């Protein structure tokens, strides 16, 4: 950890200091400024960030719950090495979560939210046609976020927001799961039809196909 990795925090209006520390440390883990195995000493971090130890400890506890930090009592607190199956397990998890969100969200979406979802799928179709891997990742993230917001389920939204850092870390290095551009794009077009029709179950099935997972009823789309 370089000396200039952290600077004193300027508290943001309307946010708890612990949230600001959590955001700073989480972002540092995501961009690699804090690497697996790096020790996290609350006294040192508090000094660099210009805060007391309490918000630092709160942030480290939240990061531990998400699996980004590991603690051995009276020994160390350090950045945790990602689980070897973090990438496939997170892809699987997010696909099933998005499927549930599609069922709830497409039924409940306001006209404005529905229009935004259609626009998001249009963007995915365009990026798929251009075989823009990073664009597909960004577009998929945006589409999932819109689906989750459209559920209007406070618990769903809160839990997924809290898990965001861990999900981002686990999905680093993501690539489109289907290298066949025409087949992938055709599936996105079918997804658009399902979104337009507010058919959450059809959208859920197509999301499974896009990520090469078994459908909820047990059929394997591969």
């Amino acid at each position: 950890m370089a000396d200039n990795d952290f600077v004193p925090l300027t508290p943001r209006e309307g946010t708890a200091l612990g949230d600001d520390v959590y955001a700073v440390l989480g972002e540092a883990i995501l961009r690699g400024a804090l690497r697996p195995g790096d020790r996290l000493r609350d006294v040192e971090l508090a000094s660099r960030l210009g805060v007391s130890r309490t918000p630092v400890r709160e942030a480290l506890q939240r990061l531990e719950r998400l699996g980004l930090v590991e603690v051995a009592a009276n020994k160390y607190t350090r950045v945790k090495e990602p689980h070897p199956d973090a990438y496939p397990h997170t892809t699987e998890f997010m696909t099933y979560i998005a499927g549930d969100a599609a069922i709830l969200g497409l039924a409940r979406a306001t006209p404005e939210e529905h229009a935004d979802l259609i626009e998001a799928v249009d963007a995915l179709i365009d990026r798929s046609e251009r075989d823009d891997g990073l664009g597909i990742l960004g577009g998929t993230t945006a589409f999932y976020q819109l689906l989750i917001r459209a559920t209007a389920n406070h618990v769903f939204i809160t839990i997924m927001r809290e898990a965001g850092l861990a999900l981002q870390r686990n999905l680093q290095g993501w690539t489109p799961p289907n290298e066949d551009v025409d087949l992938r794009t055709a599936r996105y077009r079918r997804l658009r039809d399902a979104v337009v029709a507010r058919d959450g179950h059809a959208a859920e099935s197509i999301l499974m196909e896009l990520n090469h997972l078994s459908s909820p009823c047990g059929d394997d789309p591969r």
Side-chain angles (χ1 to χ4, degrees), residues 36 42 47 71-72 141 147 182:
D42 56 1
S47 175
V71 177
T141 300
L147 279 177
D182 291 338

Side-chain angles (χ1 to χ4, degrees), residues 1-20:
M1 183 170 57
D3 290 339
N4 61 351
D5 281 333
F6 302 112
V7 296
L9 279 173
T10 300
R12 296 177 297 167
E13 185 177 353
T15 64
L17 194 53
D19 291 339
D20 290 335

Side-chain angles (χ1 to χ4, degrees), residues 18-172:
D19 291 339
D20 290 335
V21 175
Y22 169 79
V24 168
L25 296 180
E27 194 274 336
I29 292 172
L30 289 180
R31 63 184 169 86
L34 291 173
R35 299 181 297 274
D38 282 354
R39 297 293 181 96
L40 301 169
R41 299 174 176 85
D42 56 1
V43 174
E44 178 185 352
L45 290 169
S47 175
R48 291 192 178 192
L49 294 172
V51 299
S52 70
R53 294 167 67 184
T54 298
V56 173
R57 287 174 174 173
E58 291 173 353
L60 292 174
Q61 288 170 356
R62 288 175 66 184
L63 291 167
E64 181 188 11
R65 289 195 295 270
L66 287 173
L68 298 181
V69 164
E70 59 183 346
V71 177
N74 300 318
K75 292 184 179 179
Y76 58 75
T77 298
R78 65 189 182 191
V79 180
K80 188 174 182 179
E81 187 78 36
H83 189 281
D85 292 322
Y87 179 85
H89 286 183
T90 303
T91 299
E92 181 181 64
F93 170 79
M94 280 306 304
T95 302
Y96 280 95
I97 285 293
D100 288 339
I103 294 171
L104 288 175
L106 288 176
R108 298 176 177 178
T110 66
E112 293 77 14
E113 289 171 336
H114 190 216
D116 288 342
L117 285 164
I118 295 170
E119 183 177 343
V121 182
D122 284 337
L124 280 169
I125 292 170
D126 174 68
R127 291 164 185 174
S128 181
E129 288 177 332
R130 293 188 282 109
D131 203 20
D132 177 3
L134 286 177
I136 293 172
L137 173 58
T140 300
T141 300
F143 179 63
Y144 285 4
Q145 289 173 338
L146 289 170
L147 279 177
I148 290 167
R149 188 180 311 148
T151 67
N153 184 303
H154 173 72
V155 175
F156 206 143
I157 293 168
T158 300
I159 290 175
M160 293 309 299
R161 183 186 297 121
E162 181 70 9
L165 277 175
L167 298 175
Q168 289 180 62
R169 188 199 196 195
N170 292 348
L171 290 175
Q172 287 180 342

